[in-house]
Amino acid sequence: MRLVVLGPPGAGKGTQAVRLAERFACADVATGDIFRANVSEGTELGRAAQEYMDRGDLVPDEVVIAMVMDRLVESDCDGGFVLDGFPRTVNQAEALDRRLAELGTPLEAALSFDVTEEELLQRLAGRAAAQHRSDDAEQTIRHRLEVFAIKTRPLIDYYAHRGLLTNVDAIGPIEVVTKRILAALDGNRRPW
Ligand code: AMP
């Protein structure tokens, strides 16, 4: 399975991506996790990303795209991948499409997680307390939601035009949301 997971911060993408990668026996590639690991290890990539992350801004496309293109050719991606947190801009989505076309392995689906803003703010405040994520502070949360609306939401149309979009009601217990996703993916499965 080759899947991208779209949705605002707090929509539950990370939780569901882990479960889907397990279900489809493919790699879970979470760009935010890769950046956080690099920040805590003090690598050059981590230093390049940290100021953007702390502000709730996107890391520049060229940095993210290079990182993901390298990651997708690692052997654990041979059986497919669930991309969580990438793409976040149309530029990133185009780079991904080009690369997958070169590899002859196009995307199979883009999931868009629907959650109300009220629910998101509640979830993110809970996560800030539980995980001490510096970018879950309230004003940063609001900024990240704006960045999502401006830069990432256009990807919903991008994938809809390509016939790849599946909307998911992401409110409810974790297992229920997973079941909805699996049912939707099954329903949309193409005949090839
Ligand atoms: P996340 O855990 O996916 O919410 O990502 C945390 C932070 O990492 C984001 O707020 C961005 O600063 C950065 N980041 C993760 N993925 C991307 C991406 N595809 N493009 C740009 N920045 C990203």
Side-chain angles (χ1 to χ4, degrees):
M1 175 59 80
R2 290 177 301 278
L3 194 63
V4 301
V5 179
L6 303 173
K13 300 187 298 294
T15 305
Q16 296 297 333
V18 171
R19 294 168 67 86
L20 294 172
E22 210 167 280
R23 168 72 175 69
F24 294 114
C26 63
D28 171 29
V29 177
T31 46
D33 288 349
I34 301 176
F35 283 133
R36 280 184 288 279
N38 277 274
V39 168
S40 60
E41 286 160 21
T43 67
E44 199 178 318
L45 179 63
R47 282 192 295 278
Q50 182 160 28
E51 56 172 308
Y52 297 98
M53 296 175 75
D54 286 347
R55 285 199 305 262
D57 282 327
L58 296 184
V59 176
D61 279 344
E62 60 274 19
V63 175
V64 191
I65 290 170
M67 177 181 93
V68 173
M69 298 306 123
D70 285 350
R71 180 68 188 83
L72 291 183
V73 291
E74 284 181 30
S75 59
D76 65 330
C77 291
D78 288 351
F81 51 78
V82 179
L83 267 177
D84 161 21
F86 183 95
R88 264 176 153 101
T89 64
V90 170
N91 204 12
Q92 293 178 16
E94 288 172 348
L96 178 66
D97 277 350
R98 275 196 301 274
R99 183 75 179 119
L100 294 179
E102 277 165 23
L103 295 170
T105 53
L107 269 188
E108 291 169 86
L111 296 178
S112 171
F113 282 33
D114 298 331
V115 186
T116 58
E117 179 157 329
E118 194 189 346
E119 171 86 14
L120 285 179
L121 291 171
Q122 256 177 34
R123 287 188 190 179
L124 288 163
R127 187 165 81 181
Q131 297 178 4
H132 304 290
R133 271 182 56 159
S134 57
D135 59 354
D136 276 345
E138 197 178 332
Q139 74 279 21
T140 317
I141 290 173
R142 291 201 178 273
H143 183 57
R144 288 166 63 216
L145 291 174
E146 280 165 20
V147 169
F148 173 80
I150 296 166
K151 304 243 169 102
T152 310
R153 206 189 291 283
L155 292 181
I156 295 175
D157 276 350
Y158 179 94
Y159 287 116
H161 281 127
R162 284 160 179 74
L164 292 173
L165 190 73
T166 298
N167 287 295
V168 179
D169 170 4
I171 297 187
I174 290 170
E175 322 71 71
V176 173
V177 175
T178 307
K179 279 195 187 134
R180 278 184 205 141
I181 295 171
L182 294 175
L185 287 175
D186 217 33
N188 289 358
R189 197 168 280 281
R190 295 182 176 194
W192 57 72

